[in-house]
Amino acid sequence: MFTNVIRRCFVPCLIRRSLSIVSNNSTVSSSPIRICVIGSGPAGFYLTQNLLKLSQTIPTTIDIIEKAPVPFGLVRYGVAPDHPEVKNVINTFTKIAEHERVRFIGNIHIGKTIGLKELQEFYHIIVLAYGSSVERNLHIPGETTLENVFSAKDFVGWYNGVPDNAQLRPQLNHTDQAVIIGMGNVALDCARMLLSSIDDLAKTDITDIALDTLRQSRIRHVILVARRGPMQVSFTIKELRELTKLNGVQSMLNKEDFNQIDQTMIDKLERPRKRLSELMLKTARTKQSQNNAERFWYLKFWRRPKQLNGKTLVESVDFEHTESVANGDFSDPNLSVQPNGTIETIPCGLVIKSIGYYGVQIDPWLPFDTERGIIRNRQYRIDDRPGFYCTGWIGRGARGVIAETTTESHTVAKRIMEDVEQGHLTNLHDVKSGGDGLIALAKSRQIRCISYEDWKKLDAHETNLGNAKGKPREKILNIQKMLELTAS
Amino acid sequence: MYRLIIRSIFNQNLFLKRYSSNSNNYINVTIIDRDEKLINAKAKIGSNMLDVVLDNKLDIDGFGACEGTLACSTCHVVLDSENYKTLPEPVEEENDMLDLAFGLTPTSRLACQIIVEPRMKDWVFVVPKDVNDQR
């Protein structure tokens, strides 16, 4: 307890003293350190929360910049409509956004309307937290020429109200079979949207357009196909369990796919992978008897898509069967596979590709690893760019749920404050204008910045619109309309 | 004479105060936060341990982000093994979220799923560090 007392008095003292060494003046500079966070999803908000906590004795301001007119990133546009509890984090984010040292600035596209380098005029520290918005492609014949073939990113964007995906128009009433390529959580989300009862979906914030289309859907069989085996699936247990418990929906897992898994193999696994494998095993081995089942989902392993077939709409997918390479370990998460010569054709009227995402290089000045789709960084410090950091998917790759990003943000915030306290940043004594300067520059380029208060007006409008129909909200799909509603 | 009256009123108040803190509604528990600080908290019987943290206005970063809906692992707490064994088994959905908890132990639970009972008087709940401090 005594050490606690010392820690609480001594450390802030040390910080103040080291700051005055950094600044040229003998007293601590009263001009605050300006921090800019680019991206207002979980990465951006949790980092801000942690920075606030660690900078209570150092004058700092934190601006969260967002490309869209609305905050929250994938929490708004990625999390499935039937997962409202995951969106509870928005309440935490709201408290952060309304903190006196935080300012949300929406509708600013860094790398397009304002250059990354230009931000240095207004901010001492810049953190990139803008996620991974580009989907991976298969690069196989038919992928870009046939209709009703979508990336999961676009399909999710469509049912979640992303303005760019409003005109997607998937056709779901001419076919009873859909193929989803990939076995991650996004693939499961898409499967669940196609299989859930309309009555359940009608009470969520799914867009009305999607609801109407799904209401007329004739899809009864959803087949998820993966390149490798059950021990390499990317989805996590909560999402899988949900699918096994869906009302009126039957799981159709093949027992034979799990024959190679024995108790020895299971016992060697880390807890999350162990429990996931056990659940799949149980689902495959239990005799399913949902008599009222009208819809079915399947997991098919060891199949790599070779080409998509059809005249105008997709009609089937050719898969080549795969097998583990020589000496491959069945339970190795990084297992490599090779084709074994057999081809199988699976008929379907809808194809959704869900094979991962990567990030974009928003500015050529940003050191970027194009192959991995992440910013080049060492321990969250961007290579050769003092004062620049990254957090979230854009720094580590597009994997993991919000919890992992939250955990990571503690470390990133600590790293940044370490650099501040140890004098690694040489510009901290410069007086910078932060958000005031940025907004003035944006105005001069005819960009209207959206404040958090502006967002709350749009938020209230969407909520009222939705409540009238028994939904938590009805998302506005048109950017112009969004901007108008933030001004009213 | 007045002194007698005042003293008896004073004693009454003290008696009432003592009575209400031992009243049937609340028990005392100990919460150890991430800085290893011991906090005495009043836990309302029938509420859950996340409620207790919130009601006592404890300043624990990010605790209970999903507000008790089993959609995260931020209310992760560690109990001593004797007390842990006496709790009802976690439902599968709680275990699914515990899978994601940093620094999971064999006696870990999610606070939002622990319902306060009178027998939990003086129990200790440890909020574990949520990240590897690499300094």
Side-chain angles (χ1 to χ4, degrees):
Chain A
M1 200 178 78
F2 191 55
T3 48
N4 233 334
V5 168
I6 289 195
R7 206 185 303 160
R8 279 167 194 269
C9 299
F10 197 50
V11 171
C13 221
L14 261 185
I15 293 174
R16 251 179 251 129
R17 288 190 59 189
S18 60
L19 250 194
S20 61
I21 293 169
V22 165
S23 75
N24 288 333
N25 310 324
S26 54
T27 53
V28 172
S29 165
S30 56
S31 174
I33 300 178
R34 306 286 188 191
I35 304 178
C36 168
V37 177
I38 300 176
S40 71
F45 267 105
Y46 279 119
L47 177 72
T48 302
Q49 182 185 54
N50 283 295
L51 282 173
L52 284 173
K53 191 82 197 216
L54 294 178
S55 64
Q56 284 177 77
T57 53
I58 308 169
T60 44
T61 64
I62 306 171
D63 292 344
I64 305 176
I65 316 287
E66 167 60 49
K67 174 178 76 171
V70 294
F72 310 136
L74 286 179
V75 176
R76 173 180 167 98
Y77 284 134
V79 174
D82 58 350
H83 287 165
E85 68 286 352
V86 176
K87 299 188 201 192
N88 280 342
V89 294
I90 287 181
N91 297 332
T92 305
F93 294 173
T94 298
K95 289 200 196 89
I96 299 167
E98 293 179 331
H99 190 283
E100 56 177 5
R101 287 196 280 134
V102 175
R103 176 157 39 173
F104 169 79
I105 308 176
N107 202 33
I108 295 202
H109 192 153
I110 303 297
K112 197 165 155 203
T113 43
I114 308 248
L116 193 56
K117 249 176 155 176
E118 295 185 275
L119 285 177
Q120 287 188 288
E121 187 192 329
F122 312 114
Y123 298 101
H124 301 95
I125 294 169
I126 294 161
V127 189
L128 285 305
Y130 61 84
S132 299
S133 56
V134 182
E135 69 271 41
R136 291 193 183 282
N137 286 312
L138 294 167
H139 303 292
I140 58 176
E143 180 180 7
T144 52
T145 51
L146 293 171
E147 283 175 40
N148 240 25
V149 176
F150 305 109
S151 71
K153 165 182 131 8
D154 288 340
F155 190 72
V156 171
W158 169 73
Y159 64 67
N160 266 344
V162 172
D164 279 347
N165 298 129
Q167 310 302 324
L168 201 73
R169 285 190 253 275
Q171 296 174 62
L172 309 179
N173 57 358
H174 68 291
T175 180
D176 69 346
Q177 188 144 295
V179 159
I180 300 180
I181 298 169
M183 283 194 196
N185 284 335
V186 186
L188 293 191
D189 277 355
C190 293
R192 219 170 54 248
M193 289 303 113
L194 291 170
L195 296 166
S196 289
S197 98
I198 279 294
D199 292 335
D200 290 339
L201 289 178
K203 300 184 205 133
T204 70
D205 63 4
I206 193 172
T207 60
D208 271 352
I209 295 179
L211 203 53
D212 286 338
T213 309
L214 286 166
R215 192 173 278 123
Q216 295 163 58
S217 163
R218 278 184 39 215
I219 292 183
R220 298 290 175 266
H221 304 274
V222 175
I223 306 171
L224 292 103
V225 188
R227 201 171 40 99
R228 297 179 297 174
M231 307 294 277
Q232 287 82 39
V233 299
S234 296
F235 50 66
T236 47
I237 195 169
K238 171 182 190 286
E239 288 73 15
L240 177 70
R241 191 184 300 283
E242 202 177 359
L243 202 52
T244 64
K245 287 181 161 177
L246 222 49
N247 235 340
V249 174
Q250 175 123 330
S251 319
M252 306 287 283
L253 269 60
N254 203 337
K255 276 202 309 274
E256 280 72 52
D257 286 328
F258 298 85
N259 280 343
Q260 281 205 354
I261 303 178
D262 58 18
Q263 202 53 46
T264 333
M265 191 184 284
I266 296 251
D267 287 338
K268 285 199 210 129
L269 300 170
E270 293 290 327
R271 175 181 152 135
R273 179 62 64 175
K274 176 170 190 282
R275 294 184 69 247
L276 176 63
S277 306
E278 283 170 342
L279 178 59
M280 272 193 285
L281 223 70
K282 177 167 158 238
T283 310
R285 289 175 181 167
T286 317
K287 189 88 170 110
Q288 305 280 323
S289 53
Q290 274 222 49
N291 291 324
N292 60 340
E294 287 181 353
R295 297 181 183 186
F296 308 84
W297 64 281
Y298 310 72
L299 293 181
K300 290 198 193 248
F301 298 100
W302 311 107
R303 288 162 170 86
R304 186 160 69 194
K306 203 159 186 291
Q307 81 176 33
L308 306 176
N309 310 306
K311 288 189 278 294
T312 45
L313 287 164
V314 66
E315 288 168 21
S316 66
V317 185
D318 291 348
F319 289 92
E320 56 188 5
H321 283 205
T322 63
E323 63 192 12
S324 150
V325 299
N327 300 325
D329 173 6
F330 193 81
S331 61
D332 179 2
N334 299 316
L335 182 70
S336 291
V337 294
Q338 62 203 8
N340 75 359
T342 326
I343 305 277
E344 175 192 352
T345 303
I346 300 184
C348 59
L350 170 72
V351 171
I352 298 178
K353 310 171 284 177
S354 187
I355 53 174
Y357 301 87
Y358 56 90
V360 292
Q361 183 184 26
I362 59 171
D363 191 297
W365 188 68
L366 199 56
F368 204 77
D369 181 338
T370 325
E371 212 190 289
R372 292 177 62 195
I374 62 170
I375 297 176
R376 287 199 276 107
N377 71 95
R378 255 161 278 219
Q379 300 282 299
Y380 313 110
R381 297 185 182 95
I382 299 181
D383 286 0
D384 307 317
R385 301 282 182 264
F388 283 78
Y389 302 81
C390 57
T391 185
W393 281 1
I394 195 57
R396 71 169 198 271
R399 267 196 200 84
V401 295
I402 295 177
E404 279 135 277
T405 293
T406 313
T407 305
E408 184 186 55
S409 67
H410 294 286
T411 308
V412 183
K414 274 202 175 112
R415 193 112 312 134
I416 294 172
M417 294 316 289
E418 258 170 42
D419 287 356
V420 167
E421 290 160 27
Q422 290 170 20
H424 293 319
L425 300 167
T426 52
N427 64 351
L428 292 180
H429 53 276
D430 296 345
V431 174
K432 292 191 189 278
S433 56
D436 289 342
L438 177 62
I439 292 174
L441 179 62
K443 262 205 181 108
S444 74
R445 296 182 185 174
Q446 267 73 49
I447 303 165
R448 201 189 119 221
C449 300
I450 307 294
S451 70
Y452 203 74
E453 285 305 307
D454 293 336
W455 149 245
K456 279 159 78 171
K457 292 177 204 147
L458 173 58
D459 185 21
H461 184 91
E462 288 186 342
T463 309
N464 290 336
L465 219 60
N467 286 344
K469 306 178 213 178
K471 300 165 79 172
R473 83 169 55 236
E474 184 64 51
K475 290 177 194 162
I476 304 297
L477 306 182
N478 180 285
I479 298 259
Q480 265 318 111
K481 189 97 211 282
M482 272 193 234
L483 291 171
E484 279 167 40
L485 288 166
T486 55
S488 54
Chain B
M1 172 62 178
Y2 285 121
R3 227 187 274 157
L4 205 66
I5 295 173
I6 288 171
R7 202 181 292 153
S8 63
I9 293 172
F10 184 62
N11 285 340
Q12 281 268 53
N13 281 341
L14 266 181
F15 175 71
L16 278 167
K17 263 216 188 100
R18 215 175 281 141
Y19 177 80
S20 65
S21 63
N22 282 344
S23 84
N24 293 337
N25 278 332
Y26 287 87
I27 55 164
N28 292 322
V29 297
T30 304
I31 297 177
I32 301 183
D33 75 7
R34 294 199 187 108
D35 295 325
E36 283 148 43
K37 185 169 99 180
L38 256 89
I39 303 164
N40 291 319
K42 280 170 46 143
K44 185 165 184 193
I45 311 251
S47 70
N48 65 59
M49 281 306 296
L50 170 57
D51 294 330
V52 172
V53 169
L54 296 172
D55 293 343
N56 284 269
K57 298 203 186 341
L58 303 184
D59 184 20
I60 304 179
D61 236 357
F63 200 83
C66 77
E67 300 173 11
T69 53
L70 285 178
C72 75
S73 59
T74 59
C75 69
H76 174 204
V77 289
V78 179
L79 287 76
D80 73 51
S81 55
E82 286 312 308
N83 294 338
Y84 175 84
K85 282 187 216 153
T86 69
L87 287 176
E89 283 282 304
V91 297
E92 288 290 24
E93 284 77 6
E94 179 183 348
N95 273 327
D96 291 349
M97 288 298 104
L98 279 169
D99 280 1
L100 301 172
F102 185 85
L104 188 69
T105 73
T107 58
S108 287
R109 290 296 301 265
L110 295 183
C112 67
Q113 302 300 300
I114 303 174
I115 307 298
V116 179
E117 296 173 52
R119 67 188 177 90
M120 294 179 187
K121 179 170 171 301
D122 298 328
W123 275 24
V124 177
F125 299 87
V126 177
V127 181
K129 285 220 191 311
D130 48 9
V131 71
N132 250 328
D133 194 328
Q134 301 197 342
R135 268 208 248 194

